[in-house]
Amino acid sequence: RRYFDMAMAEGDPRYVGYAQAALRPWPDTVATPVEVLVLHGMLRQYRHDFARGMADFDLALKTDPANTEARAWRAAILMVQADYAAARRECALLAENATELHATACAAYVDATTGQARSAYERLAAALARRADIDPGFHAWIQTRLAEMAWRFGDLAAAERHFRAGLGLGIDDNFILAAYADFLLEQGRAAEVMPLLKGWARSDTLLLRLALAARKLKLAEGEKYARTLGERFADAALRGEKLHLQEEARYLLEIKGDARAALAAASENYRTQREPRDALILIEAALAARDPAAAAPALLWLGSSGFEDRRLREAAARLKALKP
């Protein structure tokens, strides 16, 4: 579990390999301890092996139907796969055994992705205000989600406040650093990204943001960051790893300027990961490659989900307006 926490904190998949090696003596059967089954599932979802991860969580829930961790991870995977009806059902089942805050966070995440960002934000913020004793990792996750919701409906001051509250918890969290760096980049504040991510070049996701910020600022180290990223993606391809296809697509599009290669990576990524940021890079790559048909799955998702995001919807509108 500590290895998994380190992988999440630092964005380094090697720790997941260490954790999986430690768990190798335990097979995936109902006779395996529930905590081990849950950890198997967490590690597999990290590697984007969602089908086997879900199977592990199912086994855990057969033995312990009230296991809130397995239930929450099932909901998280369903969100990645954009199966919102199923995710909502998982949240309802989670509410039977979880705290009010956990149940509200689960449902609010679904609602915020399906056209109800402001009301979801208000409910989650209110539930957070009623709790004082919160695990710092979960607290950081909530602050990041609140920041993203506020960003989405245009309250940039609230988004900034939540990002800073999450960062102020004093824990290492790759997820919140990446989200805040994207926020700063979109607001034209690349200069603030450099000190934010200083010392985080070991994480591929954060190295991408460093490279993008350095490029915007025309800094000499931008070339070094870009070269290192390219080498890491090439090494991952040789190992058969495809954990950061979304970041690779952004690298190819925004740094290398290779729209076709970016579109190929974004399309492959979208087959297994269909979160809003996966849709955004697919639409932007298709726009740069002048290939609207390639982004049809993302456009269909955007039309059916009700997801609220100005940048995504503007990119989709430009893509649809392309002349054949």
Side-chain angles (χ1 to χ4, degrees), residues 107-117 120-121 149 152 307-308:
Y109 185 24
V110 181
D111 291 344
T113 313
T114 53
Q116 303 171 63
Y121 169 87
M149 292 175 202
R152 204 173 301 150
F307 185 74
E308 305 149 280

Side-chain angles (χ1 to χ4, degrees), residues 33-54:
V34 169
E35 185 178 9
V36 174
L37 288 171
V38 172
L39 284 167
H40 272 310
M42 290 162 60
L43 296 166
R44 283 176 172 144
Q45 67 78 34
Y46 186 99
R47 290 197 176 279
H48 301 175
D49 187 353
F50 298 127
R52 291 178 72 194
M54 288 291 266

Side-chain angles (χ1 to χ4, degrees), residues 10 40 64 68 86 125 128 130-131 146 148 164 178 209 234 236 263 278 292-293 324:
E10 301 182 17
H40 272 310
D64 179 12
T68 56
L128 178 62
R130 289 192 289 271
R131 278 291 297 270
L146 287 170
E148 291 177 330
R164 290 190 175 277
R209 276 77 178 179
L263 182 56
D278 301 303

Side-chain angles (χ1 to χ4, degrees), residues 9-12 174 199-208 210 229 232 244:
E10 301 182 17
D12 189 338
N174 194 78
W200 283 95
R202 64 187 178 277
S203 162
D204 292 352
T205 56
L206 300 183
L207 181 59
L208 171 68
L210 275 168
L229 262 180
R232 289 186 189 176
H244 297 133

Side-chain angles (χ1 to χ4, degrees), residues 151-154 156 186-187 280 302 307-318:
W151 180 8
R152 204 173 301 150
F153 58 70
L156 301 184
E186 187 173 299
Q187 302 307 312
L280 177 61
L302 186 60
F307 185 74
E308 305 149 280
D309 182 83
R310 177 190 54 79
R311 178 179 169 188
L312 213 163
R313 291 197 170 273
E314 286 178 356
R318 290 198 304 275

